[in-house]
Structure formats: C-alpha cells, structure tokens
Amino acid sequence: GHDFVFLTHYPVPARPFYALPDPEDAALTLSFDLLFRGVEVTTGGMRIHDSTQLRENLARFRLDPESFGGYLEAFACALPPHGGFAIGLERLTAQLVGAPNVRWATLFPRDRHRLEP
C-alpha cells in the first residue's frame, strides 16, 4: 500500500563482492534496494573497507585479484568505513511519469537493434 519500500540485508551471494557483511549475521549484507511502485530505483549499502577481507571475498566469489589491482591498492592504504548508493534516474523518471517502458524515459535508449544514438 506504499509507493516506496526498502528491502534490506540481502544474502551475501546476491550482492557484489565488496558488500559489507552484517556483523550480526555474516550470511547477510548491510545493503538495500529502494523500490518505487514495484521498481528498483536505488541500490546501496556499506562496503568492505578492510583489504584482507576484500581479498577473501574476491576468492569466495572466484574473482581474479589481478583484475582488481588498482582497486585493491587503495584499500591497502587503510580506507575508512564507507558506503554509497546509486539511483536509476531513468527508472525513477519512468515511474513518476507512468511510462510503459523505461526506454520512454531514456534520452538515447539502447537495445539489440540500436547501440548508438
């Protein structure tokens, strides 16, 4: 019955390798999605800031640490706890104006037949 709903504490496998596990339940992450009228418009959460824990998660997700060299280098310098979020502007706009498809709210929509404006 509400336009906005927050979903929180996603399972670890459902989130990126950098999502911070919940200290009270390591199977869950400190992350969220904001749904607006049933469509995800924002995703966010806390991120792992410990380089050792980050490397362990790369292994757990079967990702090659060599592919994340610059990213890992920053964490070796002791970054503070941090988080963030991103909003899907086209998704939000489509919901606000009642567009039947997100492509109607996108300046240069792409699909399998259109890759360039």
Side-chain angles (χ1 to χ4, degrees):
H2 296 280
D3 284 341
F4 291 96
V5 176
F6 273 104
L7 300 175
T8 66
H9 295 84
Y10 277 87
V12 168
R15 285 300 195 202
F17 73 93
Y18 52 76
L20 185 66
D22 185 337
E24 295 180 15
D25 186 346
L28 302 175
T29 60
L30 295 178
S31 65
F32 70 89
D33 281 348
L34 174 61
L35 304 181
F36 176 48
R37 298 180 187 154
V39 173
E40 173 209 323
V41 294
T42 304
T43 296
M46 297 300 293
R47 295 185 174 187
I48 294 173
H49 55 275
D50 177 78
S51 64
T52 302
Q53 186 179 14
L54 199 54
R55 287 181 180 279
E56 289 170 357
N57 247 24
L58 283 170
R60 186 175 296 120
F61 279 70
R62 296 188 177 116
L63 297 170
D64 180 10
E66 295 296 318
S67 299
F68 297 89
Y71 186 75
L72 292 170
E73 188 176 329
F75 287 87
C77 298
L79 289 178
H82 63 285
F85 68 94
I87 189 164
L89 188 56
E90 288 94 351
R91 290 181 185 189
L92 178 60
T93 302
Q95 287 297 90
L96 287 171
V97 301
N101 190 300
V102 71
R103 289 182 296 205
W104 290 100
T106 304
L107 183 57
F108 298 111
R110 294 180 179 193
D111 60 29
R112 62 187 179 132
H113 302 292
R114 180 180 169 159
L115 298 177
E116 297 178 6

